[in-house]
Amino acid sequence: MVHRFLVKDIAFQAGLSTATVDRVLNGRPGVRRQTEMRVKAAIAELEKQQAGAMGSGRVLAIDIVMETPQRFSDAVRNAFEAEMAAFLPGVFRCRFHFAEVMKPAELVQLLDRIRLRGTHGIVLKAPDVAEVAASVARADAAGIPVVTLVTDLPNSARIAYAGADNRAAGETAAYLIGEFLGDNGGKVLVTLSSGRFRGEEEREIGFRRSIRAHYPDIGITEISEGHGTDAATGTLAAAALAADPAINAVYSIGGGNRAVLSAFDAAQRPVRVFVAHDLDADNRALLAARRIGFVLHHDLRTDARSAFRAIMSRAQASGRAVSPSLSTVEIITPYNMPAGN
């Protein structure tokens, strides 16, 4: 297998031992096809990162760990790779660990494995549960800075949060939906991927508080634990619509928007206004097709830059405090959609 990287760098990128990578590179027997594909993918990733991010200065290798639907992990990967190529004077190399659903024990095991293998930092999107906070504390004690991404772990040892003000985002959604529905009222279907994520909880709190204060004639029905996947979210949405004929609007906090719209179509029910989060590929297409009205967007490249700066700050001055950096929430319509990556 042709390459120009050190075995240890390929092993780091692939999450394998150097001995396993050496067997793959030298074509020795007893290697599973899946392992060979991981090594090839690691080499391809290193080549892409080297082409886009080579420059002077120290190389910091970090791990991006996320429990999230693939459509959002794709957007995050694109943002970090784009920012990695532009960020100077340091050069970051990222290893991505994404899964649509992870049990807390699986996530903790992954974080502990990264800590024991070694890394210059971890960027983490994870549920706000005690087991995860404990694993963040172990990483911090080992001198590994952890930055939370888009959803925070405020009671953990993380050094910074990179993302938007989620309560303000929820309040913005309430304003858009409340002003759109006006005095006619109705009921909003609020969709969460899971109640375990603090960021989603804060969006819901901001939304409910603003609706209660300013639009008391509008009701709310919540569905959760669809994990942002189309199949599970669609099933939950269909059940909610069957149970409540008053639902006529959607605030999608957790994704699965195609499935939610399909549930409305199947029930032959109109959606008066639909507010979603994040300009991933699905939401771009739905916005362009006028299937959803608004997307609350914050620039993931800004979040990546904040994470890089926080980790670099720790690398340059151990123990230095880093203030959280909040990215701006923008209201996107079909007429002001920014260009995609």
Side-chain angles (χ1 to χ4, degrees), residues 1-8 10 21-22 24-26 39 43-44 46-47:
M1 193 178 297
V2 179
H3 68 94
R4 59 179 181 274
F5 303 103
L6 296 175
V7 170
K8 67 178 182 179
I10 300 172
V21 172
D22 185 72
V24 173
L25 295 176
N26 289 286
V39 172
I43 291 172
L46 287 170
E47 289 174 341

Side-chain angles (χ1 to χ4, degrees), residues 15 33 37 96 114 121 125 127 129 147 151 156 228-229 248 257 259 262 274 276:
R33 176 66 175 169
M37 295 304 296
F96 299 97
I114 291 169
K125 178 185 179 292
V129 296
V147 177
T151 182
S156 73
T229 60
N248 62 350
N257 299 329
S262 293
F274 194 125

Side-chain angles (χ1 to χ4, degrees), residues 136-149:
V136 171
R138 290 192 291 273
D140 185 72
I144 298 170
V146 177
V147 177
T148 51
L149 181 70

Side-chain angles (χ1 to χ4, degrees), residues 15-307:
L16 300 169
S17 69
T18 54
T20 298
V21 172
D22 185 72
R23 286 201 303 272
V24 173
L25 295 176
N26 289 286
R28 297 193 180 100
V31 177
R32 293 183 301 170
R33 176 66 175 169
Q34 181 182 9
T35 302
E36 182 181 350
M37 295 304 296
R38 284 177 66 179
V39 172
K40 287 182 177 179
I43 291 172
E45 186 73 20
L46 287 170
E47 289 174 341
K48 181 166 60 174
Q49 292 179 7
Q50 186 182 66
M54 285 305 294
S56 61
R58 182 180 178 187
V59 175
L60 299 177
I62 66 174
D63 291 79
I64 319 297
V65 179
M66 298 176 60
E67 178 187 344
T68 193
Q70 183 176 345
R71 59 182 168 271
F72 187 64
S73 65
D74 287 345
V76 168
R77 179 190 289 268
N78 290 340
F80 270 80
E81 289 180 343
E83 194 58 32
M84 192 166 45
F87 193 88
L88 292 173
V91 175
F92 281 86
R93 191 173 84 236
C94 298
R95 181 170 61 184
F96 299 97
H97 312 265
F98 298 148
E100 292 200 322
V101 181
M102 273 193 281
K103 296 178 181 177
E106 295 170 336
L107 182 56
V108 167
Q109 184 180 49
L110 173 59
L111 292 172
D112 286 342
R113 191 165 67 243
I114 291 169
R115 170 176 55 84
L116 293 171
R117 182 185 297 123
T119 181
H120 290 111
I122 296 172
V123 179
L124 177 64
K125 178 185 179 292
D128 186 12
V129 296
E131 308 97 289
V132 173
S135 68
V136 171
R138 290 192 291 273
D140 185 72
I144 298 170
V146 177
V147 177
T148 51
L149 181 70
V150 304
T151 182
D152 199 8
L153 304 174
N155 299 315
S156 73
R158 59 91 169 126
I159 66 165
Y161 163 68
D165 182 334
N166 285 305
R167 291 206 184 200
E171 291 166 347
T172 302
Y175 174 78
L176 292 171
I177 290 174
E179 292 297 307
F180 194 97
L181 293 180
D183 296 334
N184 295 323
K187 185 167 281 189
V188 184
L189 180 65
V190 176
T191 73
L192 289 82
S193 70
S194 174
R196 300 175 302 146
F197 290 99
R198 179 174 287 265
E200 294 194 12
E201 180 184 52
E202 290 179 341
R203 290 174 183 176
E204 183 198 16
I205 289 171
F207 182 80
R208 285 183 179 273
R209 182 171 60 189
S210 187
I211 289 290
R212 185 170 57 249
H214 302 290
Y215 310 101
D217 294 332
I218 296 176
I220 297 172
T221 293
E222 176 191 315
I223 60 173
S224 184
E225 307 312 313
H227 302 288
T229 60
D230 284 345
T233 304
T235 299
L236 291 168
L241 290 173
D244 192 341
I247 295 173
N248 62 350
V250 178
Y251 175 34
S252 173
I253 296 174
N257 299 329
R258 288 188 182 277
V260 173
L261 287 167
S262 293
F264 274 89
D265 291 343
Q268 297 183 328
R269 298 265 291 277
V271 183
R272 291 204 59 206
V273 59
F274 194 125
V275 177
H277 277 273
D278 305 315
L279 271 180
D280 55 39
D282 273 9
N283 283 344
R284 283 181 174 278
L286 292 172
L287 192 61
R290 310 297 199 272
R291 296 301 312 275
I292 59 180
F294 306 97
V295 171
L296 301 180
H297 168 65
H298 69 279
D299 183 16
L300 290 171
R301 284 194 60 175
T302 298
D303 296 343
R305 193 176 312 122
S306 295

